[in-house]
Amino acid sequence: MKLLAAVLLLSAAAAAASAQPFTVGTARAERGHTATGYIEVPAGSDPATSIPVVVVHGARPGPVLAVVSGAHGTEYASIIAVEKLIGALDAAQVSGTVILVPLVNRASFDQKVVHVNPVDGKSMNRFYPGKADGTQTERASYAMTKEVVERSDHLIDLHGGDLDESLVPYSYWTKTGREEQDRVSREMVLAFGLDKIILSTDRPADPAASRYLENTATTRGKPSLTAEAGYAGTVEPEDVDALVRGCLGVMRYLKMLPGAVAPVARPVWIDSVLTVTSDAAGVFYPQVKRGATVAKDAVLGYVTDLFGQRVFQARSPAAGIVLYVCSVPSMTQGGTVANIGVVRVAE
Ligand SMILES: [Zn+2]
């Protein structure tokens, strides 16, 4: 009887725990419900900000998955994908909890500023795990680490080509050397469904210096991934759909949604990414399209001065895939012309 009483007590405690609401920032969702709110980032040396958050607290218990976009506020397709997911997820159908953060970098979105948070001039995907007493980007990253990363079992960080980048969709698989974590994150990337997968082995291993959002989760032992789709300010349905489908595929893999997983049948593994920069400032003319296969030394584009004289020709340092190419004429000295993905040779 004693044992039975203890078991009953334990299961009552477990039931009580699983009946608890799930709170992120000011969003507090009861089980089986969705709530919206904000992660408040207090003012410091510069103004406060508040990051919108949605908690879909599924009807049944399960893992906690965070889906984040808008670290770069003009990578619109990824932001719209999370907006669509907010509408698509029904807490009654979900096992576990989804934390959705559609727009981290609000000032970038509001002011249409590429790459950085205009408040402090910092990229909002380079200062993780953040600092409580830093500038706004660092304080926001600190809040994201505490409120989102530390509360999750898995994280998906969505990006895309920025206003000046013509990008082909791809995802990143971060290999840590921890076998079980790598197995799960690899299967998540395959379940996400983008066929081009960059193998990322050069991320910092120190959780206190994780730099990137996904890496903040990864270095804390949480199998996670980054995916990118969209380019040059566009919101093409195929890019948005690919990211929405990807997140739903990962949720099926994690058994947060019913249904079979359809992993990528023939992944194109990209072992390294080579960044090609311009030796000269001026007017850029691309000669390749995103996703093109190029040979070593293929011309990627050229730069003229403001009088139309060619001052630089960019060539591919290796055979590979054009992951993205600069999509606007503005070119600075040292500016990125293209990223070339070197595809793994079949063993
Ligand atoms: Zn980005």
Side-chain angles (χ1 to χ4, degrees):
M1 274 307 279
K2 251 187 182 166
L3 182 65
L4 183 62
V7 167
L8 284 176
L9 210 67
L10 269 178
S11 58
S18 83
Q20 291 290 311
F22 197 101
T23 304
V24 180
T26 64
R28 182 178 189 269
E30 301 292 339
R31 190 161 279 293
H33 293 271
T34 294
T36 63
Y38 291 93
I39 297 167
E40 300 293 352
V41 179
S45 55
D46 48 19
T49 183
S50 58
I51 300 168
V53 62
V54 179
V55 176
V56 180
H57 195 27
R60 289 167 299 281
V64 179
L65 170 68
V67 180
V68 180
S69 64
H72 303 127
T74 45
E75 295 178 356
Y76 296 117
S78 59
I79 295 163
I80 299 305
V82 179
E83 295 290 341
K84 295 240 172 193
L85 267 177
I86 292 168
L89 290 177
D90 174 4
Q93 307 299 321
V94 170
S95 300
T97 305
V98 191
I99 304 170
L100 296 146
V101 180
L103 181 58
V104 176
N105 192 344
R106 294 186 67 185
S108 158
F109 181 87
D110 291 346
Q111 298 173 34
K112 290 167 278 197
V113 170
V114 295
H115 305 302
V116 298
N117 175 1
V119 173
D120 57 14
K122 292 174 179 167
S123 167
M124 292 195 89
N125 196 29
R126 293 295 184 280
F127 290 88
Y128 281 94
K131 281 200 304 204
D133 60 350
T135 62
Q136 191 187 79
T137 292
E138 294 163 317
R139 297 195 310 279
S141 302
Y142 180 79
M144 288 291 294
T145 299
K146 293 285 164 202
E147 293 274 355
V148 177
V149 177
E150 290 183 0
R151 307 291 307 285
S152 307
D153 302 308
H154 304 279
L155 182 140
I156 300 174
D157 190 19
L158 298 180
H159 289 257
D162 215 322
L163 283 174
D164 57 349
E165 296 166 348
S166 186
L167 176 143
V168 74
Y170 53 80
S171 48
Y172 290 90
W173 175 47
T174 304
K175 195 173 178 182
T176 65
R178 293 188 291 270
E179 208 170 302
E180 177 59 12
Q181 183 178 344
D182 290 349
R183 181 187 67 79
V184 174
S185 59
R186 185 179 190 275
E187 286 175 1
M188 286 171 65
V189 168
L190 292 172
F192 195 91
L194 298 180
D195 67 341
K196 294 176 184 63
I197 303 173
I198 297 171
L199 177 66
S200 158
T201 53
D202 58 350
R203 299 287 198 220
D206 179 2
S210 52
R211 270 173 75 79
Y212 308 91
L213 174 61
E214 180 235 288
N215 198 44
T216 306
T218 296
T219 52
R220 282 159 180 73
K222 302 159 192 282
S224 298
L225 68 95
T226 301
E228 308 213 21
Y231 59 97
T234 59
V235 185
E236 296 293 344
E238 59 265 34
D239 291 323
V240 174
D241 291 350
L243 296 178
V244 171
R245 269 201 317 272
C247 292
L248 297 175
V250 170
M251 286 182 68
R252 283 189 201 96
Y253 167 70
L254 296 172
K255 305 213 179 317
M256 299 177 75
L257 286 176
V261 181
V264 182
R266 283 194 200 81
V268 177
W269 293 100
I270 294 165
D271 280 336
S272 59
V273 177
L274 307 172
T275 297
V276 181
T277 57
S278 177
D279 287 355
V283 183
F284 177 64
Y285 294 86
Q287 302 278 278
V288 289
K289 297 259 191 219
R290 65 197 181 97
T293 300
V294 291
K296 185 178 186 323
D297 295 325
V299 175
L300 302 172
Y302 60 90
V303 179
T304 71
D305 62 19
L306 295 175
F307 307 104
Q309 292 299 310
R310 283 196 195 203
V311 288
F312 179 67
Q313 183 159 259
R315 291 179 179 274
S316 183
I321 295 172
V322 177
L323 296 175
Y324 72 81
V325 59
C326 180
S327 65
V328 295
S330 318
M331 182 55 71
T332 54
Q333 187 177 14
T336 301
V337 165
N339 262 7
I340 305 297
V342 179
V343 176
R344 181 179 307 173
V345 181
E347 287 137 17

